[in-house]
Amino acid sequence: MIQEIAREERNSLRNEKKRPWSIKTRRPFRGIIDRVEITFRESIELAEKVAKEFGSPFELSNRGRPQEYDPIKLAAAILVKGMRSFVDLSTDLKNIEYDMTIKGSGKYPCPSELHTVFQKIPKEWLEMALQRLDELSVKEFFKFGEKYPILFPSYPRVRQLQRMPN
């Protein structure tokens, strides 16, 4: 405990930019959302609500092969991708048996299909949907009886998207 107090005092004397990442970023939310464990299924269901709210991010074409996967569910999968690779995302979708097909055949998109969908989604749609997903997840998984914090546009996920190439 003495070491922790000494470390906090030492870090408080540092310039804010040179402080350890976890202390600077998590301090306002410490003890509030740190201990919440969200399963992949819960996050994909919440992302599906957001995707339904904003509608399909791209138009389906009547040309070529018939569309096999639901664009809303594909967009929801992209919203929960986070720092996962497309291979891990595809594997996670198979593990929870999340049916993404229009006809209910139980097939899952391959990593290259998910990457193609990711490239089709407009950046503006993705930014708005991610911000809405963050707002809903705070409301959904926040401890009851406490005032929840308001997330700002400088939230790390939004800043990460702004740095991504189109």
Side-chain angles (χ1 to χ4, degrees):
M1 187 155 184
I2 294 171
Q3 289 176 345
E4 187 177 328
I5 293 170
R7 186 181 61 230
E8 277 192 55
E9 288 176 356
R10 187 173 53 244
N11 289 333
S12 67
L13 296 174
R14 288 183 180 174
N15 184 357
E16 188 176 2
K17 290 183 180 179
K18 294 183 180 180
R19 290 183 192 169
W21 181 84
S22 63
I23 291 174
K24 179 179 76 174
T25 308
R26 291 176 51 203
R27 182 168 303 276
F29 305 111
R30 182 169 290 159
I32 298 174
I33 60 174
D34 283 355
R35 298 182 190 116
V36 176
E37 295 292 328
I38 302 169
T39 64
F40 184 70
R41 179 171 292 285
E42 290 173 336
S43 61
I44 194 92
E45 288 172 356
L46 194 60
E48 188 177 347
K49 286 181 190 176
V50 171
K52 284 179 182 176
E53 183 179 316
F54 283 101
S56 179
F58 52 88
E59 295 296 321
L60 295 177
S61 173
N62 292 333
R63 299 176 62 184
R65 287 188 334 210
Q67 186 70 24
E68 190 169 356
Y69 300 107
D70 184 8
I72 298 291
K73 291 185 178 186
L74 286 171
I78 297 300
L79 287 175
V80 297
K81 178 185 177 294
M83 298 305 287
R84 290 180 182 89
S85 66
F86 289 106
V87 174
D88 292 341
L89 179 61
S90 178
T91 305
D92 289 343
L93 290 169
K94 287 178 190 173
N95 289 342
I96 65 166
E97 298 177 358
Y98 184 68
D99 186 23
M100 299 181 72
T101 58
I102 294 174
K103 297 179 182 178
S105 64
K107 291 176 68 178
Y108 306 100
C110 64
S112 61
E113 177 81 20
L114 291 169
H115 184 264
T116 304
V117 168
F118 178 71
Q119 290 177 328
K120 282 183 184 179
I121 296 177
K123 183 180 175 183
E124 296 80 25
W125 188 93
L126 197 57
E127 286 178 353
M128 290 186 312
L130 279 174
Q131 190 169 8
R132 180 69 177 141
L133 179 64
D134 289 337
E135 292 168 1
L136 284 180
S137 60
V138 167
K139 288 179 184 177
E140 182 88 14
F141 300 110
F142 203 71
K143 289 183 179 178
F144 295 108
E146 296 182 14
K147 183 179 176 205
Y148 62 89
I150 299 171
L151 300 177
F152 301 101
S154 63
Y155 193 69
R157 288 177 79 175
V158 175
R159 280 188 273 140
Q160 180 187 5
L161 281 174
Q162 291 170 349
R163 283 187 245 125
M164 294 176 74
N166 288 343

